[in-house]
Amino acid sequence: MKTITPPKTAGEKAILVQLIWGEATREQAADSLAELENLADTAGIKVAGSITQHRDRPTGQFFIGEGKVQEVGMACEKSGANLILFDNELSPIQVNNLDLTLGVKVLDRTELILQIFARRARSAEARIQVELAQLQYLVSRLPTSIKQARFGGGIGMRGPGESPLQLRNAPMRRRISELKAKLRLIQKRRVDQRQRTWPQISLVGYTNVGKSTLLNALTSAEAYVDDRLFATLDTKSRLLYLPSGRQAMLTDTVGFIRNLPHGLVASFRSTLEEAAQADLLLHVADAGHPFVTEHCTVVFDTLREIHADRVPTLLVLNKCDQPAAHLALPHLRTLFPDALTISAAARDGLTELKQRIAERIGPAQTPSAPEASTPDPQNDPA
Ligand SMILES: Nc1nc2c(ncn2[C@@H]2O[C@H](COP(=O)(O)OP(=O)(O)OP(=O)(O)O)[C@@H](O)[C@H]2O)c(=O)[nH]1
Ligand SMILES: [Mg+2]
């Protein structure tokens, strides 16, 4: 069985489509659309334009209204776009209906993120995680009757003329079990290697906030840094030397993003589990981002999902060298009085950060012990 489907998005031109409904405000919707454009850029897709619609609720047939579908079709024709990227999550039937009506490939936000992951995964572990994410996403979208049928085809993202409805299921479930077992083995080896000699600290946070930059600034990790979403899929760990004379193992993680489907989070458990098992989390946030508080909420929610919300956490407001951060700081300090303010890029505030980490980690004589509340890694609910 093939391990991974190469992404098919490179060199494509897209129209972005967004439906604003329910409780979403205009500002949130605009930020979400800007994020989708960033995701498209990360995937190497040119954006030819965007179309937004307001409705009370989505339509069953196309998600957006029929008139809007025609408008999207005309925009594709006019701009030569060969791809439609939806900011909202669509049902397989809606994708199918749009494909058939418009004759243009349609991807929703989640599929786009999965394709970025597929392109960026380098290590064996990350590639297994991506395949697992793709399979779990496909399984989660199959109607029950199809889920119970037998599966005989290949795996991977939906290709031209191929719909999730045509996929059948038993070998997928077998493959999912195989991949989970492989991941557990890789993870166990890693944990065994470290043998919890050092206290474990995980860097967590929204994507593109500067986690890898901070890892580099605090250690000599030389982790990959890029002004793109999901720069890090292959995470690094490095020893951090604290002023107390103590050392701790600092680990980077995959960035979080809003509306990340649960199946995908579960697939990235082996890196996220590190966060759940850590002795301390450094929650890094971009203080200059206009939606920093929403980003923090996404991170809090995701940590709860992976049972990491009981791990002691230091909130680190990064990018404080930026003028936008200066403006936001008074408000952020009221919201998060215990947060530290730093600039990982300018290496500002790192001495105080190390001091605070040392205080949280405790004196060198204290052996580190995992909290009883950490979840059982064998007990994967996905
Ligand atoms: N101005 C400023 N930019 C920063 C700072 N820290 C990081 N950046 C920039 O922010 C962008 C993202 O940095 P990364 O370290 O790759 O962020 P990340 O959180 O690891 O991102 P992902 O791995 O994609 O989730 C890069 O362009 C960095 O140069 C900072 O303190 N100030
Ligand atoms: Mg990174």
Side-chain angles (χ1 to χ4, degrees):
M1 189 172 286
K2 65 182 170 179
T3 49
I4 220 158
T5 308
K8 302 176 185 122
T9 48
E12 285 173 312
K13 200 173 185 188
I15 296 286
L16 310 184
V17 180
Q18 181 192 49
L19 181 72
I20 306 173
W21 68 285
E23 311 215 315
T25 66
R26 266 172 206 278
E27 292 76 21
Q28 283 165 343
D31 186 55
S32 186
L33 198 65
E35 196 172 84
L36 186 70
E37 191 165 351
N38 263 340
L39 287 167
D41 178 53
T42 300
I45 299 166
K46 282 206 179 78
V47 173
S50 64
I51 293 179
T52 296
Q53 182 175 37
H54 292 258
R55 281 183 76 97
D56 289 344
R57 63 178 70 88
T59 71
Q61 198 181 1
F62 297 114
F63 201 82
I64 49 174
E66 240 173 279
K68 221 46 176 180
V69 175
Q70 303 312 323
E71 197 184 314
V72 171
M74 273 162 14
C76 287
E77 227 166 83
K78 211 168 146 197
S79 63
N82 52 1
L83 180 67
I84 297 165
L85 293 177
F86 262 79
D87 193 37
N88 314 81
E89 192 171 336
L90 303 178
S91 74
I93 290 173
Q94 287 159 341
V95 171
N96 233 19
N97 291 343
L98 287 160
D99 273 348
L100 289 174
T101 308
L102 297 171
V104 178
K105 187 163 76 169
V106 177
L107 289 182
D108 67 13
R109 201 171 213 276
T110 307
E111 286 177 306
L112 179 61
I113 291 174
L114 286 174
Q115 294 213 0
I116 291 169
F117 280 15
R119 172 173 305 182
R120 299 209 148 208
R122 291 282 174 270
S123 69
E125 183 179 9
R127 293 173 74 85
I128 291 171
Q129 287 170 338
V130 166
E131 186 183 347
L132 189 52
Q134 290 178 330
L135 283 172
Q136 286 180 321
Y137 185 63
L138 282 178
V139 167
S140 75
R141 289 163 67 84
L142 294 175
T144 316
S145 57
I146 302 285
K147 279 184 192 174
Q148 282 157 0
R150 288 186 54 232
F151 169 75
I155 60 115
M157 302 301 294
R158 185 171 40 81
E162 184 189 24
S163 103
L165 292 173
Q166 292 165 319
L167 299 173
R168 285 173 292 161
N169 192 28
M172 273 212 267
R173 290 228 177 268
R174 257 202 313 278
R175 183 72 182 148
I176 286 174
S177 303
E178 255 173 53
L179 293 171
K180 280 184 179 172
K182 275 192 193 173
L183 271 183
R184 274 199 289 269
L185 204 69
I186 293 174
Q187 191 194 8
K188 185 174 177 311
R189 252 186 246 140
R190 192 172 44 219
V191 172
D192 287 351
Q193 271 166 8
R194 290 200 208 132
Q195 293 180 319
R196 298 199 70 88
T197 313
W198 300 283
Q200 305 290 318
I201 305 176
S202 279
L203 287 159
V204 295
Y206 209 77
T207 182
N208 206 40
V209 295
K211 299 178 294 297
S212 303
T213 307
L214 183 57
L215 179 75
N216 291 342
L218 290 173
T219 71
S220 52
E222 295 178 11
Y224 178 62
V225 167
D226 196 352
D227 193 13
R228 291 197 162 182
L229 307 184
F230 299 119
T232 303
L233 288 183
D234 296 314
T235 58
K236 281 187 190 253
S237 298
R238 285 292 181 275
L239 266 188
L240 169 67
Y241 295 84
L242 295 168
S244 56
R246 205 158 183 213
Q247 295 163 31
M249 185 60 79
L250 186 61
T251 301
D252 207 357
T253 62
V254 178
F256 301 157
I257 196 162
R258 79 189 86 194
N259 303 328
L260 192 67
H262 295 185
L264 195 64
V265 173
S267 301
F268 277 74
R269 266 181 90 94
S270 65
T271 48
L272 293 172
E273 249 167 21
E274 299 222 9
Q277 294 177 359
D279 299 289
L280 179 68
L281 298 181
L282 297 186
H283 171 180
V284 185
D286 176 352
H289 196 284
F291 283 87
V292 56
T293 50
E294 279 81 356
H295 290 179
C296 286
T297 305
V298 170
V299 175
F300 296 142
D301 290 347
T302 311
L303 290 176
R304 207 170 307 122
E305 262 170 46
I306 62 166
H307 310 289
D309 53 327
R310 278 174 288 180
V311 180
T313 302
L314 274 180
L315 180 61
V316 181
L317 298 171
N318 189 32
K319 306 200 186 181
C320 289
D321 55 294
Q322 290 187 326
H326 291 180
L327 291 176
L329 275 181
H331 178 56
L332 291 174
R333 283 207 178 97
T334 327
L335 286 179
F336 309 113
D338 292 330
L340 282 148
T341 50
I342 66 155
S343 165
R347 296 177 181 243
D348 265 354
L350 301 188
T351 308
E352 200 195 335
L353 174 59
K354 284 189 188 178
Q355 196 67 46
R356 287 279 288 278
I357 294 172
E359 282 164 21
R360 291 293 187 99
I361 292 294
Q365 302 90 305
T366 314
S368 70
E371 293 293 320
S373 60
T374 51
D376 175 9
Q378 304 298 318
N379 182 22
D380 189 341

